Amino acid sequence: MKIRYKSSRSIIALVLIIATILGFAVNLYNIQIRDNEYYIKQNNTVDTYVVPIEAARGEIVDRNGNSLVTNRQGNSIILNAVYFPSSKNNEERNKIIYNLIKLFESKKEEYAQNLPLEFDRSGNIQFTDDEQAIATMKSADMLNLQPYATAQNCYDAVVEKYGIEGYDKETTLKIGSIRYELTRLLFSYENPVTIADDVSDETVARIKEDKSTYLGADVKVVAYREYIDSTVAPHILGTVRKINAEEYAKKKDDGYNITDQIGESGIEQAMEAELRGTPGELTITIDKEGNITEEVTKKPIQGNTVVLTIDRDLQILAQKKLREVCNKVDAYSSAGAVVVEDCNSGEIFAAASYPTFDLNDYYEKYSELASNSRNPLWSRFALGTYAPGSTFKPVTACAALESGIINNETTYLCEGAKEFFGQPFQCLNKVAHGKENVRTALRDSCNMFFYNCALDIGIGRIDEYATAFGLGQKTGIEISEASGNLSSPENKQNAGGTWRIGDTMLTAIGMSDNLFTPLQLANYCSTIANGGTRYEVRLVKSVIQASSGIVNEKSSVVADTLDLSENTLDNVYRGMRLVATSGGPSQLFNKLDTKVACKTGTSEVVVKGVKRNNGFLITYAPYENPEIAVSSVIELAGSGSETAEITSEIIDYWYQNNTDAKTNQKIGTLL
């Protein structure tokens, strides 16, 4: 029995030894043969870094596929921490930066100078006028100075922090500015920092040819925004810029880098998520011997194409005519806006503001543009709010007709002027219109008729219909817009005022506290024209996916529906048609092959102590089967009729000179 027991133990031990040897053999095979390259790489690698590759932004095109915003390739100069001297070697870093500054200045290249310090004419250091940048500079993450630190304190801190020695004070400030830029933009192996944008080929060649003098400097091919015509629709297209610290803090979890571009305004901002694109990745590996390898491990994907609702050629025409009319009214003071909307979808075909600006030199001339008293950066069609004058009267007419207070045959006597509750009220220029019904009152813009309507129906009903028409509220457009203000007891009280019966009467003719944008007026006119359906206004027609080419159409959204009777619509339509055929704009509109309906308006403003009028016009066409609505405002125009020149040109172009393009729009070539 003992012999059998010993034999069993020996066998088990032998099996275990053999299994162990086989296990070692398998591991040795895997390490030395099967996975040999992997383990060699692991053994030699010291560090691996992933650097984001910026993706080109998506293009912006008009409804017919005409390019508005695209990209061009250019070169920027970056500092790459992989090759740049260590932060411990200030002297070497400063020398390389000094060499780069001399090169940039000799080639007249612009370079990073975002340190908010400068020398005055006497050679004393002072702050620039950028308060936010000054606060950032003094913050704990930057120079770590107290808020009360002087400009000299900041300058001294820069010199000490970056060990800048042996240079004159102007050069010291320039070197310090680039060193500060590296700190501000979190310079690291994973995050190269751009120090000069859009440089010449000659500058690129010098840096590439002399790597020792410019050690760590490299060239990056960048997609820069390019405009087919930088004067077309600048308030719509908007601008892009480098992301700021606050935005980066909010968006870094969404994949943004501190050096990324971001939409600042307009469609560039509103459609940022679609236009941005997907960054790629560059993997940098440094082995034990210091050898550096770079490999694109993820290609960047360009942003999606945004198709706008606007028609490029109509936009150009609208801008041209708006400028001409404003300059005709007052070349030094007049301004204005015009909007063209699809009555049956809420799509904007054109929207112009004057004075305007050029996107190509927006940043270069920003200070000049921002300080211009005529506010060229201000989008008057979306952000400008105006007392609409008599263009509001169709609202009062609808409210009175729907309430049953008046009908086709109801008349009020207009004697040009009359006292109500002991207060004088009058028609424009005290003109006596005699007996007026709702149609002739719209034609003649008779204040007395609508004063009487207001007294009979009250402010509640007027505001109910004005609200349903979208007045005094945002239209839903993608870019920044103002809400305006609808005159009402509640809003008056909230502003600290007291509502009186006279306010009800003035509201009925578009005065009192009414303030609306040209976008709201166009949308309100569209709602009348299509019989009572108010759409949300939009500038984006579709988005074309860059990765697949799939077109995602944007659908029209109904914001509200007014249940207007045929009788109400017929009376308002006929009244607005009379304005076009026998009112102030008739001289121009009667020459058109397309029948239109419209309503003029004026509102009084005081400029430098002198009373002037702003002129307004809302128009829809064709009269029988409305398709487009046009609203326009000309500041300091004598009347709304003066804006008819713009509208008549737009309608003539759309229906007489745009046959092919309009057919394309109906079938949607891109769209």
Side-chain angles (χ1 to χ4, degrees):
M1 294 293 294
K2 290 182 180 179
I3 295 174
R4 288 171 57 189
Y5 173 73
K6 290 181 180 178
S7 178
S8 298
R9 285 201 310 176
S10 298
I11 292 171
I12 292 171
L14 183 60
V15 170
L16 290 174
I17 290 170
I18 293 171
T20 301
I21 292 171
L22 287 173
F24 278 118
V26 170
N27 285 335
L28 189 61
Y29 171 81
N30 289 339
I31 292 171
Q32 293 193 345
I33 299 176
R34 193 187 69 177
D35 299 326
N36 177 260
E37 291 185 7
Y38 170 80
Y39 284 105
I40 289 175
K41 185 177 179 182
Q42 293 297 306
N43 185 54
N44 288 339
T45 298
V46 174
D47 280 310
T48 299
Y49 304 97
V50 177
V51 178
I53 303 173
E54 185 178 336
R57 289 179 73 81
E59 297 188 356
I60 304 175
V61 302
D62 84 340
R63 65 186 299 109
N64 299 310
N66 297 307
S67 291
L68 298 170
V69 186
T70 182
N71 301 296
R72 65 173 175 82
Q73 283 194 341
N75 297 308
S76 64
I77 303 303
I78 65 170
L79 285 177
N80 191 332
V82 174
Y83 305 96
F84 200 54
S86 162
S87 59
K88 296 177 182 178
N89 194 343
N90 278 322
E91 183 179 354
E92 192 63 25
R93 279 193 167 194
N94 294 337
K95 181 180 177 181
I96 293 168
I97 289 173
Y98 174 60
N99 292 336
L100 285 165
I101 289 172
K102 287 194 298 181
L103 174 63
F104 292 152
E105 292 184 346
S106 70
K107 302 301 179 184
K108 297 182 179 180
E109 308 283 12
E110 294 186 3
Y111 57 92
Q113 297 188 69
N114 295 318
L115 188 65
L117 296 172
E118 62 186 4
F119 289 103
D120 63 18
R121 292 182 178 179
S122 300
N124 299 313
I125 196 71
Q126 64 182 10
F127 293 122
T128 64
D129 57 2
D130 191 336
E131 294 183 4
Q132 182 59 52
I134 295 168
T136 299
M137 176 179 63
K138 295 179 181 179
S139 68
D141 292 334
M142 302 306 295
L143 299 184
N144 194 24
L145 296 174
Q146 296 295 332
Y148 53 78
T150 65
Q152 187 64 52
N153 294 151
C154 295
Y155 178 83
D156 293 341
V158 168
V159 173
E160 181 180 357
K161 181 179 179 71
Y162 301 120
I164 309 173
E165 298 175 349
Y167 302 95
D168 62 74
K169 60 184 182 181
E170 286 84 4
T171 301
T172 295
L173 184 60
K174 293 173 183 177
I175 294 171
S177 188
I178 291 182
R179 293 295 304 272
Y180 174 81
E181 187 78 349
L182 299 183
T183 303
R184 187 178 71 86
L185 296 180
L186 309 178
F187 184 55
S188 67
Y189 282 4
E190 295 92 342
N191 190 42
V193 169
T194 299
I195 59 171
D197 277 309
D198 210 7
V199 300
S200 67
D201 291 341
E202 190 175 352
T203 298
V204 168
R206 286 283 299 275
I207 289 173
K208 284 183 172 293
E209 290 167 1
D210 192 352
K211 291 188 178 294
S212 59
T213 300
Y214 309 112
L215 185 65
D218 201 356
V219 178
K220 183 170 80 169
V221 178
V222 178
Y224 291 102
R225 259 343 204 181
E226 184 169 62
Y227 307 97
I228 304 306
D229 183 339
S230 57
T231 65
V232 174
H235 298 96
I236 293 175
L237 299 176
T239 55
V240 293
R241 57 163 169 74
K242 292 287 180 66
I243 194 170
N244 61 39
E246 292 75 19
E247 289 165 335
Y248 171 65
K250 294 177 182 177
K251 291 182 172 289
K252 61 183 179 181
D253 291 339
D254 296 329
Y256 279 81
N257 190 277
I258 188 66
T259 58
D260 279 353
Q261 296 274 331
I262 191 169
E264 179 182 36
S265 62
I267 290 296
E268 293 278 18
Q269 180 186 53
M271 300 302 290
E272 170 68 17
E274 299 288 354
L275 291 168
R276 179 173 179 251
T278 305
E281 292 180 354
L282 175 69
T283 300
I284 300 174
T285 304
I286 307 174
D287 65 19
K288 277 185 175 181
E289 285 72 37
N291 298 313
I292 301 170
T293 59
E294 299 181 1
E295 180 184 1
V296 176
T297 50
K298 180 182 176 183
K299 291 184 178 180
I301 301 173
Q302 183 171 345
N304 299 328
T305 297
V306 173
V307 182
L308 300 185
T309 60
I310 69 170
D311 178 286
R312 181 195 61 187
D313 295 337
L314 181 65
Q315 178 72 27
I316 291 171
L317 174 69
Q319 291 181 195
K320 176 176 177 289
K321 292 306 299 182
L322 179 63
R323 181 182 68 249
E324 289 177 2
V325 172
C326 286
N327 288 339
K328 188 185 298 184
V329 168
D330 189 327
Y332 299 100
S333 301
S334 185
V338 59
V339 177
V340 186
E341 180 180 339
D342 185 334
C343 292
N344 302 303
S345 70
E347 293 183 358
I348 298 299
F349 291 148
S353 180
Y354 183 80
T356 184
F357 63 98
D358 188 322
L359 285 164
N360 272 340
D361 57 19
Y362 167 76
Y363 287 107
E364 179 184 339
K365 294 186 176 180
Y366 179 78
S367 295
E368 177 186 337
L369 292 167
S371 61
N372 189 318
S373 61
R374 297 179 71 189
N375 299 316
L377 298 179
W378 189 250
S379 171
R380 283 172 166 81
F381 62 80
L383 294 170
T385 56
Y386 301 88
S390 295
T391 58
F392 186 85
K393 287 174 179 174
V395 174
T396 306
C398 287
L401 287 162
E402 287 295 305
S403 301
I405 299 300
I406 63 171
N407 57 36
N408 305 11
E409 299 177 358
T410 303
T411 60
Y412 292 109
L413 178 64
C414 173
E415 299 175 293
K418 183 179 179 180
E419 283 195 2
F420 292 88
F421 310 102
Q423 296 295 319
F425 288 81
Q426 64 183 45
C427 268
L428 184 63
N429 300 322
K430 296 185 179 180
V431 173
H433 297 114
K435 286 186 177 181
E436 295 267 79
N437 61 31
V438 66
R439 298 175 186 176
T440 58
L442 286 170
R443 177 195 64 194
D444 300 331
S445 209
C446 178
N447 289 346
M448 290 300 167
F449 182 91
F450 293 101
Y451 288 150
N452 282 285
C453 287
L455 292 173
D456 288 340
I457 61 176
I459 189 62
R461 291 292 274 174
I462 295 174
D463 281 351
E464 176 187 345
Y465 280 87
T467 299
F469 278 117
L471 298 173
Q473 57 195 288
K474 293 185 176 181
T475 65
I477 198 167
E478 295 88 345
I479 63 176
S480 296
E481 64 172 327
S483 298
N485 184 72
L486 177 60
S487 181
S488 69
E490 181 182 5
N491 289 338
K492 188 89 167 183
Q493 185 177 0
N494 290 339
T498 301
W499 189 265
R500 294 180 173 84
I501 190 66
D503 289 306
T504 299
M505 297 169 65
L506 292 173
T507 297
I509 64 167
M511 296 175 64
S512 189
D513 300 324
N514 281 328
L515 293 171
F516 309 139
T517 66
L519 273 176
Q520 291 172 10
L521 292 176
N523 202 29
Y524 145 60
C525 185
S526 290
T527 306
I528 291 173
N530 68 34
T533 301
R534 176 165 64 89
Y535 293 96
E536 287 187 3
V537 172
R538 59 193 176 98
L539 284 165
V540 178
K541 188 169 183 62
S542 61
V543 174
I544 303 175
Q545 299 294 320
S547 58
S548 64
I550 294 173
V551 179
N552 297 323
E553 292 282 352
K554 301 293 183 180
S555 301
S556 296
V557 177
V558 175
D560 203 349
T561 302
L562 288 80
D563 188 18
L564 300 174
S565 68
E566 290 296 327
N567 180 64
T568 294
L569 291 169
D570 182 63
N571 276 288
V572 173
Y573 289 161
R574 287 174 181 268
M576 293 178 69
R577 176 63 179 153
L578 287 173
V579 178
T581 56
S582 57
S586 60
Q587 288 185 339
L588 289 170
F589 286 162
N590 284 337
K591 295 177 183 178
L592 294 174
D593 293 332
T594 305
K595 293 181 180 179
V596 305
C598 65
K599 184 69 193 81
T600 56
T602 58
S603 62
E604 188 177 276
V605 291
V606 178
V607 180
K608 296 179 181 179
V610 179
K611 291 182 178 180
R612 303 283 296 271
N613 284 329
N614 290 336
F616 302 86
L617 183 66
I618 57 172
T619 308
Y620 66 83
Y623 174 62
E624 291 84 0
N625 185 25
E627 293 176 341
I628 65 170
V630 184
S631 73
S632 54
V633 54
I634 303 296
E635 296 177 16
L636 310 184
S639 69
S641 297
E642 291 192 49
T643 74
E645 184 179 338
I646 303 171
T647 303
S648 63
E649 289 266 3
I650 286 171
I651 291 171
D652 182 61
Y653 165 82
W654 194 250
Y655 288 104
Q656 304 305 321
N657 302 320
N658 192 36
T659 307
D660 293 338
K662 194 165 189 301
T663 301
N664 286 340
Q665 289 161 10
K666 290 297 184 183
I667 62 174
T669 45
L670 258 184
L671 324 164

